């Protein structure tokens, strides 16, 4: 929970506030992954504005279970490269989409919502489901990407 990028047209502005949501440990999150899943996707709030040690534990725990890890971040590679733990997290992901969403630069390519974003890694390793906290029900929800969402920001 929490994102200071505040991208215009963000698909998940509910995740901007630092307060709200429910804290889950990396272990709790990994336990909730369907055994049939081949990966996890980390989206907004901004993954790199969460506890970086816990993020690293989550990513490494997923990779140890042979899960693909896809991360969407608003940070640029230059910004990530200046933070050793952020870079370590990124280097352990299967796929990364980096750069803020810019609504005035729409992109029709898979994974990128705007043309300024860069895709790194194994594009085929993108998880079929993503997890988010539903503020209305209080549940962590695993969901596939809805067809109408494919061109919208992540």
């Amino acid at each position: 929970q929490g994102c200071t990028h505040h991208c215009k047209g963000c698909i998940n502005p509910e995740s901007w506030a630092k307060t709200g949501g429910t804290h889950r440990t990396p272990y709790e999150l990994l336990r909730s992954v369907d055994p049939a899943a081949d990966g996890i996707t980390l989206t907004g709030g901004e993954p790199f504005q969460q506890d970086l040690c816990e993020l690293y534990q989550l990513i490494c725990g997923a990779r140890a279970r042979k899960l693909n890890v896809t991360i969407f971040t608003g940070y640029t590679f230059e910004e990530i490269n200046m933070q050793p733990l952020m870079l370590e997290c990124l280097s352990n992901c299967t796929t990364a989409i980096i750069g803020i969403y810019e609504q005035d630069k729409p992109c029709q390519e898979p994974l990128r919502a705007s043309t300024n974003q860069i895709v790194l890694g194994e594009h085929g390793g993108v998880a079929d489901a993503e997890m988010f906290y539903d503020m209305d029900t209080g549940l962590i929800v695993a969901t596939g990407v809805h067809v109408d969402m494919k061109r919208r920001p992540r």
Side-chain angles (χ1 to χ4, degrees):
Q1 183 75 26
C3 180
T4 59
H5 298 303
H6 296 188
C7 301
K8 183 178 178 184
C10 175
I11 194 172
N12 196 12
E14 296 82 12
S15 70
W16 292 355
K18 195 71 175 155
T19 59
T22 301
H23 180 266
R24 300 281 190 253
T25 67
Y27 175 75
E28 289 172 318
L29 290 172
L30 288 169
R31 261 192 17 207
S32 69
V33 175
D34 184 323
D38 64 357
I40 61 172
T41 300
L42 307 171
T43 62
E46 169 59 54
F48 289 130
Q49 290 179 10
Q50 312 310 308
D51 182 295
L52 290 179
C53 290
E54 288 190 346
L55 179 64
Y56 181 73
Q57 291 171 356
L58 176 62
I59 292 167
C60 290
R63 297 300 290 144
R65 290 184 165 119
K66 308 290 187 233
L67 294 171
N68 294 307
V69 178
T70 300
I71 191 167
F72 285 80
T73 177
Y75 287 102
T76 64
F77 185 72
E78 292 76 20
E79 292 168 320
I80 294 167
N81 199 36
M82 292 171 43
Q83 301 291 327
L85 192 48
M86 286 172 68
L87 185 58
E88 195 63 31
C89 287
L90 182 71
S91 68
N92 280 283
C93 290
T94 313
T95 306
I97 298 79
I98 61 175
I100 63 167
Y101 170 65
E102 295 184 25
Q103 191 174 26
D104 62 336
K105 297 180 181 179
C107 184
Q108 301 301 316
E109 296 175 18
L111 304 179
R112 296 189 324 153
S114 58
T115 56
N116 62 295
Q117 294 174 318
I118 298 168
V119 179
L120 303 172
E122 304 171 22
H123 308 159
V126 177
D128 293 331
E130 58 186 272
M131 296 174 65
F132 67 93
Y133 179 73
D134 185 338
M135 293 172 51
D136 294 328
T137 64
L139 299 173
I140 294 177
V141 179
T143 180
V145 177
H146 189 277
V147 71
D148 292 338
M149 302 288 193
K150 288 185 178 177
R151 291 193 199 111
R152 294 185 62 193
R154 315 273 283 142

